[in-house]
Amino acid sequence: MIVGATLVGAAIVAARWRTNDAQCGGGFVATGSRCMAPPGACPAPLVRIDDGCDAPDVRVRIPASKLTIGPSDWEAEGRVPPRVIETRAFYIDAFEATVAKLGTRASADGARAASALNRDEAMAHCASRGGRLPTDDEWLAAASMGASNGAPHGSASRYPWGDTGAVCRRAAWGLARGPCSERGAGADTVGAHPTGDTALGVHDMAGNVAEWVVDPSRPALGIARGGSWSTELATELRTWSRLELSPAAKDARVGVRCAYDAPP
């Protein structure tokens, strides 16, 4: 019986690792818990840089929005106060900031999402690009126009890609202790899970790294949105879910994506 149980367990683990390639977008290679560019190649949407690959510098326009947050998702009841958010049009980076863009270290793994920067560092990075951190409501607007709800008015989608469930091919999540891996130790390559993109083409708004935002009404509160590579529960990938932490924290789960004012 012990031998049989061991064999069954090994088969389950083997099956999990056999499905890794299906978790990655076309052209990416499953390497341990990561989706990596193969040697000598930069699969779309990545572009080549001197020592490897990086995300292209693309910004997505988010139209003026009026969205209902909370009530459309029964799992939000009792956890998220129902409210309507209204935002002006703005731009947001299509990709999370990468190792190459932050210049945190010279590496052929430059397209990996940068992490472990505190809020001041995240703000400084965005300022250097002529941008700023998204407000909490702006992030929600950008993440909530899922494939089943691409209109700028109505109820927010449960996930950035729509209302259907979270699976491993749509986001880099559950990489440390399942369900998508058991040996992950950090963020994945940006843009490697295109089936999880928003309807407007914003990548990785669920999983990979949570992203610093600011709440203008409570500027001292540290907030990050979107879940991360270590998220174990799909509910933590919901657009309404958030992480509260010290603004000074250098958390390996947290990175940054910048926003920009749109011309009037």
Side-chain angles (χ1 to χ4, degrees), residues 9-36:
I12 292 172
V13 171
R16 172 178 289 168
W17 290 108
R18 280 199 300 272
T19 60
N20 265 357
D21 283 333
Q23 294 173 200
C24 304
F28 290 90
V29 176
T31 305
S33 65
R34 297 278 309 284
C35 292
M36 304 282 290

Side-chain angles (χ1 to χ4, degrees), residues 28-127:
F28 290 90
V29 176
T31 305
S33 65
R34 297 278 309 284
C35 292
M36 304 282 290
C42 292
L46 303 184
V47 295
R48 179 162 295 284
I49 57 175
D50 289 343
D51 59 350
C53 304
D54 194 8
D57 196 0
V58 175
R59 299 173 187 178
V60 175
R61 188 179 189 277
I62 307 300
S65 309
K66 184 175 182 179
L67 296 169
T68 302
I69 301 295
S72 65
D73 187 341
W74 67 267
E75 289 183 287
E77 293 178 5
R79 301 177 61 180
V80 181
R83 64 189 179 100
V84 174
I85 63 169
E86 293 189 63
T87 59
R88 296 179 179 180
F90 66 100
Y91 287 88
I92 196 165
D93 284 334
F95 300 90
E96 294 163 332
T98 60
V99 167
K101 284 185 171 58
L102 264 292
T104 50
R105 59 185 181 274
S107 172
D109 199 9
R112 188 177 199 175
S115 64
L117 64 163
N118 64 33
R119 192 175 69 179
D120 282 348
E121 291 168 335
M123 286 179 169
H125 166 70
C126 290

Side-chain angles (χ1 to χ4, degrees), residues 100-172:
K101 284 185 171 58
L102 264 292
T104 50
R105 59 185 181 274
S107 172
D109 199 9
R112 188 177 199 175
S115 64
L117 64 163
N118 64 33
R119 192 175 69 179
D120 282 348
E121 291 168 335
M123 286 179 169
H125 166 70
C126 290
S128 73
R129 291 172 54 80
R132 54 178 173 76
L133 290 184
T135 67
D136 196 32
D137 285 356
E138 285 175 335
W139 193 97
L140 285 167
S144 297
M145 296 182 195
S148 63
N149 183 27
H153 303 284
S155 296
S157 60
R158 290 188 181 94
Y159 300 99
W161 54 81
D163 291 326
T164 53
V167 293
C168 298
R169 73 177 181 274
R170 286 185 172 136

